[in-house]
Amino acid sequence: MSRFWSPTVQNLTPYVPGEQPQMQRLVKLNTNESPYGPSPKALAAINSQNNADLRLYPDPEGLALKKAIAHLHGLEPNQVFLGNGSDEVLAHVFLGLLKHQDAVLFPDITYSFYPVYCKLFGIEYQTIPLGPEFEIRTADYIKPNGGIIFPNPNAPTGKALPRSEIEALLSENKNSVVVIDEAYVDYGTASCIPLLHGAACPENLLVVHTLSKSRALAGLRVGFAVGHPDLIAGLERVKNSFNSYPLGRLAQAGAIAAIEDQAHLLETTNKVMQTRKRLVEELKALGFEILPSSANFILTHHPQRAGEDLYQALRERGIIVRHFKSPRIADYLRITIGTDEQSNELVMALKDITNNL
């Protein structure tokens, strides 16, 4: 600790990202990256960029990318906000739309960056306990608040809400912004983006997406939010007070091509969902209990094995999964859905571990 740190820095507990180990042989199932590569069209678009143009700043508005996103989702470009990954988008959302007198509400088990943002920006917050089956109960959020945010499907549980429940929440909560973080929506959940179409677009709904998961571009760092033009205008004010050029030329080119390649998206997400179904069945046969997942990961535990022990035993075998020490899920593992080959290796390892622990 330095005496030059501000009180804000002294009191921060930073977000801890998933480990990126540098091991020779590794089955990496801990950070929800796609097991398949990005769209070949995205790679071609990146490679086709004129290197000489890298001396020039990129389009600060990212208008071509905004148009591609808007066209895909039936929106207008002024309903789209861009950021350097969805984490940067969320940071601007917390500062620009969720910092009010009343506390922002989010689940007690959810994306652990949310409380970090609140502490960084001095935002009051209240966590709402998930139900006994780890479900988000929207009725629990009908109270005075400075905003509501949760992922759908939720992370790390993988459980999703139907769009109808979110519509009902919007109708009951009209005095603050409702932010739906749809990082994993492409793996079997109905998006809330259609609610933003036309004149009926709610003025208080914001939907956040990332290209890091289903689009397999985690290394490119592209995220976006869509919502009412007035919400987007507020986010643009924050962005242009922080970093007017968040997305480089290569990132914009690759993101446009990835957005336009729906066939690749459907092909790879279908593969993940098929592997997820098979993995769940095989783990149940080993005695594991698994929460229903609509994401590219599962949250699972073995009733007779400690989560920490399973995590360490897998790690010794070169298989990395995610273990959280939060009290309600301390015995659970979050396992990213990998390729069929990776899933086979995981199942064989867990079979050996559970037979010998």
Side-chain angles (χ1 to χ4, degrees), residues 11-298:
N11 294 322
L12 283 179
T13 302
Y15 171 74
V16 179
E19 184 183 7
Q20 299 289 342
Q22 304 297 315
M23 299 168 64
Q24 289 293 328
R25 184 181 177 280
L26 178 69
V27 177
K28 188 174 184 297
L29 303 174
N30 67 322
T31 49
N32 301 338
E33 295 143 325
S34 172
Y36 305 106
S39 163
K41 295 179 180 179
L43 298 178
I46 294 169
N47 289 328
S48 68
Q49 293 300 294
N50 186 343
N51 292 338
D53 287 344
L54 291 179
R55 68 183 182 83
L56 303 173
Y57 284 110
D59 174 11
E61 301 304 318
L63 184 57
L65 177 54
K66 287 182 178 180
K67 287 181 176 178
I69 294 169
H71 177 74
L72 175 64
H73 294 293
L75 304 174
E76 297 298 325
N78 66 351
Q79 291 181 271
V80 182
F81 176 77
L82 304 175
N84 192 265
S86 62
D87 285 338
E88 183 180 79
V89 173
L90 288 168
H92 293 336
V93 168
F94 271 85
L95 182 59
L97 303 178
L98 298 179
K99 186 173 183 177
H100 299 287
Q101 183 173 354
D102 290 326
V104 63
L105 308 179
F106 48 81
D108 62 336
I109 301 174
T110 194
Y111 187 30
S112 54
F113 225 140
Y114 296 165
V116 174
Y117 288 135
C118 288
K119 293 174 183 177
L120 176 63
F121 297 127
I123 300 171
E124 295 295 323
Y125 70 94
Q126 179 184 352
T127 58
I128 306 297
L130 297 179
E133 302 299 322
F134 292 100
E135 74 277 17
I136 292 174
R137 300 176 295 194
T138 55
D140 294 344
Y141 291 78
I142 307 305
K143 59 173 66 177
N145 66 79
I148 297 169
I149 182 170
F150 55 80
N152 195 43
N154 193 19
T157 67
K159 300 192 77 170
L161 287 173
R163 187 163 58 210
S164 59
E165 287 197 34
I166 295 173
E167 285 188 86
L169 175 63
L170 286 167
S171 68
E172 294 288 335
N173 186 84
K174 296 183 177 180
N175 295 321
S176 69
V177 173
V178 176
V179 182
I180 308 300
D181 186 350
E182 292 190 343
Y184 303 101
V185 75
D186 292 322
Y187 297 103
T189 303
S191 173
C192 287
I193 292 179
L195 300 179
L196 300 169
H197 290 166
C201 173
E203 63 178 354
N204 67 330
L205 172 63
L206 192 81
V207 182
V208 178
H209 274 227
T210 177
L211 274 66
S212 295
K213 311 301 184 183
S214 58
R215 304 278 181 178
L217 287 171
L220 205 61
R221 314 307 303 131
V222 179
F224 65 90
V226 289
H228 191 281
D230 290 347
L231 294 183
I232 301 304
L235 293 176
E236 294 286 358
R237 289 173 67 89
V238 175
K239 185 264 287 185
N240 288 323
S241 301
F242 177 76
N243 177 10
S244 295
Y245 301 95
L247 293 182
R249 290 175 175 271
L250 302 184
Q252 292 187 38
I256 291 169
I259 288 291
E260 292 175 345
D261 194 353
Q262 285 295 101
H264 182 80
L265 174 72
L266 294 175
E267 177 187 356
T268 54
T269 53
N270 282 335
K271 284 182 180 179
V272 168
M273 288 188 283
Q274 291 168 9
T275 302
R276 181 182 68 200
K277 180 180 179 181
R278 185 172 65 83
L279 179 61
V280 166
E281 292 170 352
E282 292 176 337
L283 291 182
K284 285 182 177 178
L286 295 179
F288 283 83
E289 297 176 355
I290 303 103
L291 295 185
S293 175
S294 297
N296 68 334
F297 59 84
I298 56 173

Side-chain angles (χ1 to χ4, degrees), residues 325-345:
K325 296 184 178 180
S326 303
R328 292 182 68 186
I329 56 172
D331 277 332
Y332 284 78
L333 300 177
R334 192 196 69 190
I335 302 174
T336 301
I337 306 301
T339 62
D340 285 338
E341 293 75 17
Q342 289 174 321
S343 293
N344 290 340
E345 191 163 347

